[in-house]
């Protein structure tokens, strides 16, 4: 059994975002290796929650991104993605930054693995634009800690 098979959906989601932050194409592939359709759905759900949380943190703190910075991060990060997703992700990020969610919905509705990659790139690009690398990695650690506590509480019946 590979390490990827033993990881839960939250681990895979955070690993793929970290891999994108580090521009590590091998780690991106490894984070999502051996995921069956159900696992992809779970990872996509975790990433979607992380994206919503990132946006909520941004709104609560009043932090805003600069459009040029968000697009630059997205373009840089997308080069780490599998080649057949790179252009679609860069274009989807530009559309989302302009307030047009249709490009993101179109890709996610057609290709679940593409939606996973696109959402991970979105979290990484937005986090880097808002907080820089160190700040984003801190947010990811806190998200991981919070999810772990919630799972542990649920398992213990608390």
């Amino acid at each position: 059994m590979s390490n990827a098979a033993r990881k839960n959906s939250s681990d895979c989601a955070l690993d793929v975002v970290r891999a994108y932050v580090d521009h590590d194409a091998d780690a991106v592939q490894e984070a999502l290796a051996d995921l069956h359709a159900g696992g992809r759905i779970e990872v996509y759900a975790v990433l979607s929650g992380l994206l919503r949380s990132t946006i909520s943190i941004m709104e609560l703190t009043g932090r805003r991104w600069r459009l040029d910075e968000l697009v630059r991060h997205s373009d840089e990060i997308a080069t780490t993605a599998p080649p057949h997703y790179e252009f679609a992700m860069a274009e989807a990020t530009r559309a989302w930054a302009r307030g047009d969610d249709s490009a993101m919905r179109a890709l996610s509705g057609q290709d679940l693995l593409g939606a996973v990659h696109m959402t991970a790139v979105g979290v990484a690009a937005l986090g880097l634009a808002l907080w820089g690398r160190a700040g984003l990695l801190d947010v990811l650690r806190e998200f991981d800690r919070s999810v772990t506590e919630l799972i542990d509480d649920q398992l213990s019946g608390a």
Side-chain angles (χ1 to χ4, degrees):
M1 180 185 288
S2 72
N3 288 339
R6 288 186 287 239
K7 290 183 180 183
N8 65 38
S9 301
S10 181
D11 292 336
C12 291
L14 293 172
D15 286 350
V16 74
V17 172
R18 286 184 194 107
Y20 274 120
V21 169
D22 291 339
H23 303 282
D24 186 339
D26 291 335
V28 166
Q29 293 301 323
E30 184 179 317
L32 302 176
D34 302 324
L35 282 179
H36 53 79
R40 289 176 183 173
I41 291 169
E42 291 174 6
V43 170
Y44 179 64
V46 172
L47 288 168
S48 296
L50 183 55
L51 182 61
R52 284 189 303 274
S53 296
T54 302
I55 291 168
S56 294
I57 292 167
M58 175 193 74
E59 290 170 347
L60 287 170
T61 61
R63 293 286 308 258
R64 299 299 295 174
W65 70 80
R66 288 188 1 241
L67 184 57
D68 63 326
E69 189 175 11
L70 180 65
V71 169
R72 179 178 54 81
H73 285 301
S74 177
D75 287 348
E76 289 171 359
I77 293 165
T79 63
T80 307
H84 54 285
Y85 292 129
E86 181 180 348
F87 180 74
M89 286 190 284
E91 289 304 305
T93 301
R94 283 177 172 74
W96 179 79
R98 291 188 310 266
D100 176 8
D101 295 340
S102 63
M104 293 182 84
R105 282 193 308 274
L107 179 60
S108 63
Q110 296 171 9
D111 178 0
L112 182 56
L113 188 56
V116 167
H117 283 286
M118 182 176 54
T119 308
V121 167
V123 168
L126 183 57
L128 289 169
L130 290 170
W131 305 300
R133 185 177 190 283
L136 173 57
L137 292 175
D138 286 345
V139 168
L140 294 176
R141 275 190 290 280
E142 184 61 27
F143 183 83
D144 187 32
R145 187 191 62 73
S146 297
V147 168
T148 300
E149 283 182 13
L150 288 170
I151 291 170
D152 290 347
D153 286 350
Q154 197 172 39
L155 292 175
S156 69

